[in-house]
Amino acid sequence: MKDRRARNILWASGLLYLTAQFITLGIHPFIHSDEVWLASLSRAMVQERSLSATEDVFVLTPRYPHALKTAYHLVQAPFLAVSWSPWAARLPSLLASLALLYLLWRISGLLNITGPLRLLVLFLTAMNPQFLYLSHLARQEMLLMLMFSWALFLKLSNRPGWMTALPLAAAVFVHPNAFIIAAGIGSMY
């Protein structure tokens, strides 16, 4: 009986957390200039149906797009094709943060963290102000955290090195500076 009650409380808490996240996604925090720039570039790619599209902001000077960070725009573009809004632009980050919480749950299990301590790890991460802030920004950070955590999960699951390297390599196409972190992590293998 006690286990069932605890499970119900856990599910209710999770549902409340999800509801609060989806309700506040478009209004908290205030929009950052990078969000507009990245969303505008994703939108231009959708409208022109070309990955070589550039932002409308830079029409006065010639602009040459690069392939690094294309993966981020490919993730964000379908949401912006449905709705040109802060909510749609930020939804990939929120979904990545939810997947990251699940992955953290799995990683903590692989590290033999069990019971209430495992829940505490998840709760402290989910309620961390920086985590909440980044999960509500239309930027690459949450996708990068997900990819790096996925690489850690694969490593802890004793997968082959090449398989662990895939999310690290893909991270470079989410943000070019991920190469610095990916190279550091890759050197440990």
Side-chain angles (χ1 to χ4, degrees):
M1 181 67 175
K2 190 176 182 181
D3 267 353
R4 188 174 186 190
R5 183 169 183 237
R7 188 175 295 122
N8 288 342
I9 290 171
L10 182 62
W11 277 104
S13 300
L15 188 59
L16 181 64
Y17 180 81
L18 284 174
T19 303
Q21 291 297 313
F22 280 104
I23 288 172
T24 61
L25 184 60
I27 57 175
H28 170 76
F30 293 124
I31 294 178
H32 188 278
S33 60
D34 280 358
E35 291 182 276
V36 176
W37 168 62
L38 289 166
S40 295
L41 182 51
S42 294
R43 183 182 185 200
M45 289 176 177
V46 168
Q47 290 176 335
E48 294 181 26
R49 295 185 175 167
S50 170
L51 294 176
S52 64
T54 59
E55 307 89 322
D56 296 334
V57 177
F58 295 105
V59 293
L60 297 177
T61 58
R63 184 114 157 85
Y64 304 99
H66 56 79
L68 298 179
K69 81 179 179 353
T70 302
Y72 176 75
H73 296 294
L74 290 174
V75 168
Q76 190 183 47
F79 297 98
L80 293 173
V82 173
S83 170
W84 175 241
S85 67
W87 199 90
R90 291 173 170 181
L91 190 56
S93 292
L94 179 59
L95 296 176
S97 73
L98 296 174
L100 181 58
L101 288 173
Y102 172 74
L103 203 52
L104 181 61
W105 177 261
R106 297 285 309 270
I107 288 169
S108 62
L110 291 172
L111 294 173
N112 296 319
I113 301 171
T114 59
L117 184 57
R118 193 174 183 189
L119 285 174
L120 182 64
V121 167
L122 198 64
F123 175 78
L124 290 176
T125 302
M127 298 310 292
N128 180 290
Q130 192 67 23
F131 184 86
L132 290 169
Y133 181 76
L134 290 175
S135 67
H136 280 211
L137 281 183
R139 292 176 43 122
Q140 299 104 321
E141 286 88 350
M142 256 320 144
L143 289 171
L144 290 175
M145 287 295 298
L146 179 62
M147 296 175 105
F148 293 143
S149 297
W150 183 25
L152 176 62
F153 173 75
L154 292 172
K155 177 67 174 167
L156 293 174
S157 299
N158 294 318
R159 296 295 202 291
W162 67 267
M163 194 179 288
T164 303
L166 288 177
L168 298 176
V172 174
F173 293 96
V174 172
H175 194 288
N177 291 343
F179 174 75
I180 298 165
I181 299 168
I185 294 172
S187 69
M188 293 188 299
Y189 297 114

